[in-house]
Structure formats: structure tokens, C-alpha cells
Amino acid sequence: MPESKHALLSASASHRWLNCSPSARLELEFEGGESEAAAEGTAAHALCEHKLRKALKMRSKKPVSRFDSDEMDAFTDDYVEFVMEALEEAKRECKDPLVLIEQKLDFSCYVPDGFGTGDCLIVADKLLHIIDFKYGQGVLVDAVDNPQMMLYALGALRLFDSLYNIETVSMTIYQPRRENISTWTIPVAELQEWAERTLIPKAALAYKGEGEYVPGNWCTFCRAAVKCRARAEAKLKLAQYEFAMPPLLTDAEIEDILARLDDLTKWANEITAYALDAALNHGKQWLDFKLVEGRSNRKYADEAAVAKAAQAAGYHDIYKKSLIPLTEMERLMGKKTFNEVLGGLVIKPQGKPTLVPASDKRPAIRTTDAKHDFNDYMEDKNHD
């Protein structure tokens, strides 16, 4: 569940303030607010909590929200199934593991006023397993070296380390809409060493609003990102190449540009959206820019009236008929029935060859294969 707005150094924002320590204080200058995606995530978490309590034979009242859907119902069922499997695994090593849902965790001995809420904790002899449900699909979340999960682990150890002989901590990110289940295990001693050497000094800087502004991928959800000067300067460094034609650039320069382009494009779009909102909703007058009506496409004002008029004029072949989209079909049937009825009739064509950073987890393809795949992709596209 989302953490309290009163937590300056929240676990969910730790990736940001650990890398850019002044950002936590800077964000206070900007209005917050829950986005639609965040509100949907809150609803999904509430449903997960209810279903997990029922699975553990605990009393719970089913929450109702405007985001209820077959998709959310299926994904939250899968989450509960995963947790129950993890619980059974823990029982093989410990006869009475403890399961805690939406557990408040205090890690203020490491981070000033630090606290958060763990979605699910399974506490057993020698092992603590923390499972975090992520309903978002925009950003793939990895459990490895994940500071949010490490903070939860430190908070959980404060509660249970004296009751259980916990030696290792497993941390799982369960992100069903990205088909992502990421688990990372770390010895308790290593976790505590990280807390002493890295977390405590950086949290102290962040709490005071001190340190250097350091832009990076952690800027994504920062409220100050659009107006951050350090981030702007980092993006504008791309201009040093003066956009020369590729034959005049070295391979190293081209690789440098490739590494920056996605984030640069995202930043440019954020600036554009900010400027438009300021002009449209807050009366901002930009010196060399103005609001105009954008281009639009024609559409039928009344489809039923259009059909009636066309047929009256003798045109009867005016409708197209096609299968509903695959995802909609799966929701209609449910995953199990869909796999039974249509599983053998669904294929997943190869995607268009794409250049990505070497750190990407997907396997590399050979150049000859890539050329062949691209030609097949373009041929299929032209046939559509």
C-alpha cells in the first residue's frame, strides 16, 4: 500500500533520495496528488489484502472500487496463489511460520522518521521472506539491490530478529502486468553492513536536504524532475555533438548518444506537457509560444444515423466484422478456459529487432538473424 505522505524519506522513494540526496526536500516545494495509475494500484493492493486474508482464514470485507475488472481479479488471484506457495515452502523448514499482511515497519534507527508498510511478510526460522505487489506496468521493477525492499527488510528484522534466528532475507517483487516475478536473497550480515556503510550516511544527508543533485533513472517519479536544473543540464549535454551526421561521429559518440536518447526524449515530452498545462490551466503566457487548436481527424457524429442514411442510399456493405482483441478474449473466457480452448491457436510472432543497452536481460540475436527478423517484420506489417 502507498506510504503515508508524512514520511519524508519513504521506502518507495528511497532509490531517488539515496542517489540524489537533496531531492526529498526539493520535492516538498511541489504539489503532490495521486495519479490514476497510483489510485488503481491502491485498489489492487486492497483486493490483494482481502483475498490473502480469506486464504489464511481471516475475517475480511471485500473492497469495492471503480477499478474493479476481470484483469485485476485474475492478477490478484495469482498473487495470493504465489504467497500461499511461498508459505508452504517456508513450512518445510519451519513448522509455524508467521504471515503478516500490510505490516507497518519502522526503520527509523537507520533513516530519520523512516517507516513503511510491507505487503506480505513470511517469518520463519533462519529465513525472512518479503513479498511486494506491484500493479504498475510502466516500469519493470527488479528485486536485486532494491532499496525499498532492503528498508522493509531492516524494519522487519527489528521486529522479529530476537524471536527468530533469521540468517537470510528473501525479497520478491510480484509484478503481474509485466509478467515479472523477481526474487533476491541476501545474508542478514550483508544487509546490515549496507545499512551502516551506505544507508545511514546518505539518509542523514537527504533528511537535511544536503548533498549533490545527481540526475539519473531515479528521476522518473520525482515531482521536481521537470524543473530540475541539474537534470536539464545533463540532458542538454547531448547538444555537444551538434547533431552531426552519423558518418562524422565515432562509434563511441554514437553509443553515447544511443544511451541518452530515450531519457532525453522522455524529458523533452515532460517539458512540453508542463508548458502546455501551465498555459492551458494556469494562464501562463510564454514569450515565444502560443496556444492553438491542434489537428484532429474526422469522425461520425452519430453512427446509427450514418448507417441508416447510407443504407437508405443503397450502400449496404458498410460494416466490418473482426475478432475481439486477444487480451479481451482472455478476460472474457478467463485464463484457464482460454488456455484450454484457444491455447493451441495463439502464437507470439518475433518482435522487431531493437537496439537496447547491454544490461538488458533479453538474449542477444545474431546480426544475420536480426536482418532476417526485420525483413519478416516489415513483410508482415505491409500485409496487415
Side-chain angles (χ1 to χ4, degrees):
M1 294 288 283
E3 292 158 21
S4 168
K5 295 178 182 178
H6 301 295
L8 173 66
L9 302 183
S10 67
S12 58
S14 56
H15 184 48
R16 187 155 63 251
W17 54 259
L18 280 169
N19 284 284
C20 180
S21 57
S23 63
R25 290 285 177 190
L26 184 64
E27 283 194 83
L28 297 179
E29 299 179 21
F30 296 82
E31 290 185 6
E34 190 177 50
S35 66
E36 278 292 289
E40 184 181 37
T42 299
H45 273 85
L47 189 55
C48 281
E49 179 183 359
H50 162 72
K51 289 184 175 182
L52 187 52
R53 288 186 182 280
K54 295 291 286 185
L56 294 169
K57 296 180 171 55
M58 300 166 65
R59 293 181 62 187
S60 181
K61 182 178 180 181
K62 184 176 181 180
V64 177
S65 84
R66 59 190 173 91
F67 296 105
D68 288 345
S69 67
D70 291 341
E71 179 185 52
M72 184 179 288
D73 203 42
F75 285 147
T76 50
D77 280 346
D78 293 344
Y79 165 77
V80 171
E81 183 179 344
F82 177 84
V83 172
M84 297 305 290
E85 288 176 358
L87 177 59
E88 288 303 312
E89 186 176 339
K91 286 180 179 178
R92 286 197 284 269
E93 302 295 331
C94 175
K95 65 178 182 180
D96 57 347
L98 180 65
V99 181
L100 298 162
I101 307 168
E102 295 299 319
Q103 176 64 40
K104 179 76 174 290
L105 300 169
D106 184 335
F107 43 85
S108 58
C109 62
Y110 304 99
V111 177
D113 301 331
F115 63 89
T117 305
D119 292 342
C120 178
L121 277 65
I122 300 176
V123 191
D125 292 332
K126 297 185 179 181
L127 177 68
L128 165 66
H129 192 175
I130 302 172
I131 303 171
D132 195 56
F133 180 80
K134 302 288 188 189
Y135 198 61
Q137 56 184 336
V139 177
L140 189 71
V141 184
D142 196 347
V144 178
D145 289 321
N146 187 304
Q148 178 181 6
M149 300 295 283
M150 294 164 82
L151 287 173
Y152 287 164
L154 290 169
L157 286 172
R158 289 191 69 191
L159 286 175
F160 305 110
D161 203 23
S162 61
L163 302 176
Y164 294 82
N165 184 28
I166 300 173
E167 297 176 355
T168 57
V169 180
S170 283
M171 296 166 256
T172 295
I173 297 291
Y174 191 90
Q175 191 177 16
R177 295 168 90 186
R178 291 295 301 267
E179 299 180 353
N180 173 41
I181 301 175
S182 173
T183 299
W184 182 55
T185 300
I186 182 174
V188 168
E190 277 187 35
L191 180 64
Q192 291 173 335
E193 183 180 1
W194 170 80
E196 294 295 330
R197 292 191 177 186
T198 302
L199 176 61
I200 291 176
K202 288 190 175 182
L205 276 178
Y207 192 75
K208 297 174 186 175
E210 297 176 352
E212 297 293 325
Y213 289 100
V214 181
N217 59 10
W218 44 85
C219 298
T220 300
F221 297 110
C222 179
R223 294 198 296 270
V226 175
K227 298 190 74 174
C228 178
R229 183 174 296 278
R231 188 171 180 238
E233 289 174 351
K235 303 307 169 207
L236 293 174
K237 281 184 179 178
L238 188 62
Q240 66 179 299
Y241 298 108
E242 297 181 354
F243 296 95
M245 292 300 290
L248 302 179
L249 298 172
T250 67
D251 286 353
E253 287 172 331
I254 290 174
E255 287 197 354
D256 190 25
I257 293 171
L258 285 172
R260 300 168 186 253
L261 280 179
D262 283 350
D263 202 33
L264 181 67
T265 302
K266 181 177 181 295
W267 174 71
N269 290 336
E270 288 173 357
I271 291 289
T272 301
Y274 174 83
L276 176 61
D277 178 70
L280 192 61
N281 299 316
H282 304 285
K284 174 70 175 177
Q285 295 288 325
W286 297 105
L287 185 60
D288 293 322
F289 295 87
K290 62 183 178 181
L291 281 174
V292 297
E293 185 175 308
R295 296 177 181 176
S296 64
N297 296 319
R298 297 178 301 165
K299 64 178 184 179
Y300 296 125
D302 184 332
E303 290 193 2
V306 167
K308 183 177 180 181
Q311 289 170 341
Y315 297 93
H316 299 285
D317 189 18
I318 59 173
Y319 286 102
K320 285 183 178 180
K321 188 173 182 179
S322 61
L323 285 171
I324 61 176
L326 191 148
T327 302
E328 189 176 337
M329 184 76 81
E330 187 175 44
R331 291 178 189 168
L332 176 68
M333 294 184 172
K335 279 189 176 181
K336 183 178 179 181
T337 303
F338 176 87
N339 290 330
E340 292 173 352
V341 177
L342 302 178
L345 299 174
V346 174
I347 60 170
K348 189 174 183 180
Q350 288 184 310
K352 176 182 175 182
T354 304
L355 270 178
V356 298
S359 58
D360 192 281
K361 293 183 178 179
R362 288 169 289 185
I365 56 178
R366 293 180 299 176
T367 306
T368 52
D369 293 338
K371 184 176 180 181
H372 181 265
D373 292 344
F374 180 75
N375 290 335
D376 286 348
Y377 172 84
M378 293 305 296
E379 185 176 342
D380 291 342
K381 187 176 180 181
N382 292 333
H383 286 164
D384 288 343

